[in-house]
Amino acid sequence: MRTPLLAGNWKMYKTPQETQAFFDAFLPLVAGAAGRDAAICPPYIDLAVALAAAAGSNVGIGAQNLAAGKEGAMTGEISGHMLKTIGCKYVLVGHSERRQFFGENEAGVLSKTQAALEYGLTPIVCVGELLAQRESGSTEAVLKQQFDGGMAPLSAEQFAKIVIAYEPVWAIGTGKVATPEQAAEAHAYIRGLVAEKFGNAQALAIRILYGGSVKPDNVAGLMSKGDIDGALVGGASLDPKSFAAIVNF
Ligand code: 13P
């Protein structure tokens, strides 16, 4: 009942020219992918090329960040309204790199999620613990704090439109993937938080993606777990063949 979502997060990689080359190679490889959603979130300057290339295909396009609000004197920022206007479908919110390097906190995650929803985008809201937090046994406490601050204040109607991504920070870009069991355990915990706050129907419906060193050779193991509804892929989404293999898992 939950359609898997395989999403690529390109981070700060690729020029518009490289974006065009990616889509030229990638789209034919996933044209037959059924029963799943695919998305790419490139840097802002690549969005126009990505949207034109992916028009009419089965691949949705998203941004990696947005500012709250519609427009204003906000040098360097891009709003959800702008992203929706050019045709974006998704936007990442609260990625650990935004939290780590740009000071994003739960209040900011909440207001950006609300802004994304207000302008008709699907926010992919990221949560996850640091290595030290996992090692000290506070993974669940961290996930609860992120859920309580960034998502629980949404209305039930708003919550029904989001996607959650669990990305343990120690698994991002490290090649150190969480085992399917570790990931499934965290996903089940998050789904339990959803059930407590929004009820069982919402808990059954919400898509929870796993992110952190997902590759063509480990995606099937992760996706075999009932609570894992897709993947948010960094490094392996930069190569058309490798991301196509993940989409076609
Ligand atoms: P990697 O797949 O490169 O570990 O990155 C994961 C990630 O941060 C996706 O948002």
Side-chain angles (χ1 to χ4, degrees):
M1 59 177 282
R2 297 188 295 265
T3 304
L5 170 60
L6 294 308
N9 170 13
W10 280 1
K11 308 191 181 186
M12 196 170 71
Y13 291 97
K14 291 196 193 290
T15 62
Q17 289 80 357
E18 290 164 344
T19 300
Q20 184 65 54
F22 174 93
F23 279 93
D24 289 346
F26 175 67
L27 290 175
L29 300 176
V30 297
R36 64 206 61 200
D37 296 332
I40 296 276
C41 301
Y44 287 134
I45 61 150
D46 299 326
L47 285 171
V49 168
L51 285 159
S57 80
N58 54 349
V59 178
I61 301 299
Q64 299 172 15
N65 182 31
L66 79 163
K70 182 181 179 191
E71 58 189 12
M74 298 279 284
T75 303
E77 293 298 298
I78 304 279
S79 74
H81 167 68
M82 294 165 167
L83 295 171
K84 180 66 180 181
T85 302
I86 62 168
C88 286
K89 185 164 178 194
Y90 302 96
V91 63
L92 306 182
V93 178
H95 189 278
S96 63
E97 288 150 16
R98 302 290 320 166
R99 295 173 186 263
Q100 226 176 320
F101 306 131
F102 301 95
E104 293 198 6
N105 58 19
E106 304 321 329
V109 169
L110 176 63
S111 63
K112 288 183 177 199
T113 300
Q114 287 168 327
L117 292 166
E118 183 178 349
Y119 296 108
L121 298 163
T122 298
I124 302 176
V125 185
C126 306
V127 296
E129 80 287 0
L130 305 168
L131 181 60
Q133 293 168 328
R134 172 159 286 262
E135 286 177 342
S136 68
S138 48
T139 296
E140 292 189 351
V142 170
L143 295 177
K144 179 162 168 44
Q145 186 200 339
Q146 292 173 338
F147 177 81
D148 285 350
M151 289 174 261
L154 297 172
S155 70
E157 193 195 335
Q158 287 175 318
F159 186 82
K161 295 180 182 151
I162 76 167
V163 172
I164 298 175
Y166 168 62
E167 298 206 313
V169 180
W170 48 271
I172 295 179
T174 58
K176 213 171 152 186
V177 64
T179 65
E181 290 69 30
Q182 281 174 321
E185 193 181 10
H187 284 223
Y189 177 72
I190 294 167
R191 210 177 290 285
L193 295 174
V194 175
E196 250 173 60
K197 169 71 195 174
F198 295 104
N200 282 330
Q202 291 257 40
L204 283 174
I206 183 86
R207 289 192 285 188
I208 307 178
L209 316 182
Y210 167 79
S213 297
V214 175
K215 307 283 180 229
D217 63 1
N218 60 28
V219 64
L222 291 160
M223 292 304 295
S224 72
K225 297 293 180 186
D227 271 316
I228 301 181
D229 306 313
L232 183 55
V233 185
S237 73
L238 294 169
D239 175 73
K241 280 200 194 106
S242 125
F243 191 52
I246 289 171
V247 170
N248 294 320
F249 75 91

